[in-house]
Amino acid sequence: MAQPQADAAEADTPALGVGMVGYAFMGAAHSQGWRTVGHVFDLPRRPALAAICGRDAGAVRAAAKKHGWAAAETDWRALIERDDVDLVDICTPGDSHAEIALAALAAGKHVLCEKPLANTVEEAEAMTAAAEEAERRGQLAMVGFNYRRLPATALARSMVAEGRLGRLRHVRVTYLQDWLVDPGFPLTWRLRKEAAGSGALGDLGAHIVDLAQYLVGEPLAGVSALTETFVRERPLPGGPTSGLSAAAASGTGQVTVDDAAVFTGRFASGALASFEATRYATGRKNALRIELNGEQGSLAFDLERLNELEFHAGTEPGTHAGFRRILVTEPDHPYLEAWWPPGHGLGYEHSFIHQARDLVHAIAAGSRPRPSFADGLQVQRVLAAVEESAEKNSVYTPIAVPSTSV
């Protein structure tokens, strides 16, 4: 007899109609989050998967059926105009983020936009200004840095904020993949600057810049960088094409983004940082690791062991001091009150469920979600400073420090 009561309670919860633009890798991950979040957490609004959008009619209809969307659209403008869409979730390549987000905000919709926020600082500035204006009308906007939503990284942030590490001195971060090692891999949109904005820098570097600033609790103030493109010409996805340049006619095209970025940085407090983002680390599939060293202790997180933290308390006697494992599966750890008994770990997909949870709560409360578009703009400024520094042969490039925390 409990099921009818549960159904009645769900019916009494106001719906939040979600429309998504994009249906590939990130579209599938976000769909998982929206489809699952209401079955795990008690929410003040009930996410309803109203419509998903993509240019290929057949493919987007298949995605709608597979991921549980009620309708499919082939024009994102039509999706924004739908009365059953309250929130527009943008999972497209970076070159369309600004146009879609600005139109959605102007139409009175809430917005979730995948990282990086935009392809340029100028686009990110326009998006942030529009989001701040929309917030005064009750519309909210968030950028999707999902690694903030892992229980272990959320716990790490609280430990840093509590002063468990004392004054921070060093932060070192790496994000290593190897899917471009084969020079025969085709020239996808991620390898073209006009679509992706940058390469490993925007794809992976955006994640580690945001995660570092989030855990430290302050922005980067400047960077010194090197970037490299190891394979500068790749096969076109469709093979030889007539009517193009000589290279394109032969079936190849120019890679116009970085393959790897290495940079050092300084936080506003003076803590030093090092970053490495590459898609050429042979044997590494999705290896993200961050370590923070402070005057009283250290913390480390490894995405390949995402239910754990390594913690060293520097105040312990040397006879038994050292790094110890914190298994982040307890019900009083972040997000875990709704999941499994202790010791039963979560996975990558749960970060998108937690992202949806946090955004729904922020919308219901009318409070600015984090990371906001302003936070996304700060990351964009760091990425731009990295590119500028690399172009000037590793000259230290300062970054405007925002007045708000990250």
Side-chain angles (χ1 to χ4, degrees):
M1 297 300 293
Q3 185 63 41
Q5 293 177 354
D7 292 342
E10 181 175 306
D12 290 339
T13 304
L16 178 71
V18 180
M20 179 181 293
V21 188
Y23 57 86
F25 169 35
M26 274 299 107
H30 283 225
S31 295
Q32 168 80 354
W34 291 118
R35 188 174 62 245
T36 307
V37 63
H39 299 292
V40 179
F41 295 97
D42 293 327
L43 300 174
R45 299 282 297 272
R46 174 175 50 85
L49 281 63
I52 188 170
C53 180
R55 288 173 294 185
D56 186 319
V60 75
R61 282 197 299 268
K65 181 178 180 181
K66 180 177 182 180
H67 297 302
W69 295 88
E73 298 279 2
T74 55
D75 185 343
W76 59 262
R77 297 170 184 84
L79 179 134
I80 288 174
E81 292 173 358
R82 291 178 66 108
D83 292 336
D84 58 351
V85 170
D86 304 305
L87 181 150
V88 175
D89 186 348
I90 304 169
C91 295
T92 58
D95 60 336
S96 60
H97 285 187
E99 185 180 16
I100 298 172
L102 293 173
L105 291 169
K109 313 293 184 178
H110 305 292
V111 173
L112 170 61
C113 183
E114 250 305 315
K115 52 61 55 182
L117 183 61
N119 277 2
T120 67
V121 169
E122 292 74 22
E123 288 178 343
E125 288 174 338
M127 295 168 73
T128 300
E132 291 174 350
E133 174 62 29
E135 188 173 335
R136 290 189 278 271
R137 302 191 300 266
Q139 301 157 236
L140 300 176
M142 188 173 83
V143 60
F145 285 108
N146 64 296
Y147 291 137
R148 290 190 179 204
R149 264 69 192 204
L150 295 169
T153 56
L155 177 63
R157 171 59 198 142
S158 68
M159 292 175 71
V160 173
E162 291 165 3
R164 300 289 294 278
L165 306 189
R167 182 180 176 85
L168 291 175
R169 292 168 173 161
H170 293 286
V171 179
R172 60 188 61 83
V173 204
T174 58
Y175 200 165
L176 315 177
Q177 296 180 348
D178 74 350
W179 58 277
L180 286 181
V181 168
D182 181 0
F185 188 90
L187 187 72
T188 68
W189 69 267
R190 290 188 181 275
L191 303 178
R192 295 186 293 111
K193 188 175 183 63
E194 65 271 21
S198 62
L201 178 60
D203 185 17
L204 309 181
H207 267 307
I208 57 178
V209 167
D210 179 75
L211 187 59
Q213 293 186 138
Y214 166 65
L215 293 183
V216 173
E218 61 183 69
L220 284 159
V223 295
S224 182
L226 295 170
T227 62
E228 184 57 70
T229 302
F230 299 115
V231 176
R232 298 181 177 272
E233 191 171 296
R234 287 184 175 274
L236 295 173
T241 305
S242 61
L244 299 177
S245 66
S250 68
T252 63
Q254 293 297 310
V255 175
T256 52
V257 299
D258 59 279
D259 287 330
V262 178
F263 54 103
T264 56
R266 187 186 301 275
F267 283 93
S269 64
L272 301 180
S274 65
F275 299 84
E276 181 182 1
T278 181
R279 301 189 288 208
Y280 274 77
T282 306
R284 298 296 184 184
K285 302 306 175 185
N286 198 45
L288 186 162
R289 181 177 170 84
I290 183 167
E291 181 170 318
L292 300 93
N293 307 128
E295 59 184 357
Q296 297 177 12
S298 294
L299 268 175
F301 168 76
D302 187 333
L303 184 62
E304 293 180 346
R305 297 163 57 190
L306 56 74
N307 294 290
E308 302 176 18
L309 283 178
E310 296 175 75
F311 175 58
H312 167 68
T315 55
E316 292 288 325
T319 52
H320 55 261
F323 278 91
R324 62 180 176 85
R325 183 183 74 150
I326 300 174
L327 184 61
V328 190
T329 61
E330 295 295 322
D332 52 353
H333 283 147
Y335 300 109
L336 286 163
E337 75 280 0
W339 289 107
W340 319 123
H344 295 72
L346 303 188
Y348 169 78
E349 72 277 12
H350 292 82
S351 64
F352 296 96
I353 300 170
H354 301 158
Q355 176 174 271
R357 169 196 178 272
D358 289 349
L359 182 52
V360 171
H361 276 284
I363 289 172
S367 59
R368 177 178 292 192
R370 306 303 295 267
S372 65
F373 274 20
D375 297 322
L377 169 59
Q378 167 61 16
V379 172
Q380 203 73 45
R381 286 174 172 154
V382 174
L383 301 183
V386 169
E387 290 187 307
E388 180 182 346
S389 174
E391 289 171 1
K392 295 179 178 178
N393 294 318
S394 205
V395 171
Y396 182 79
T397 304
I399 301 163
V401 176
S403 58
T404 57
S405 65
V406 295

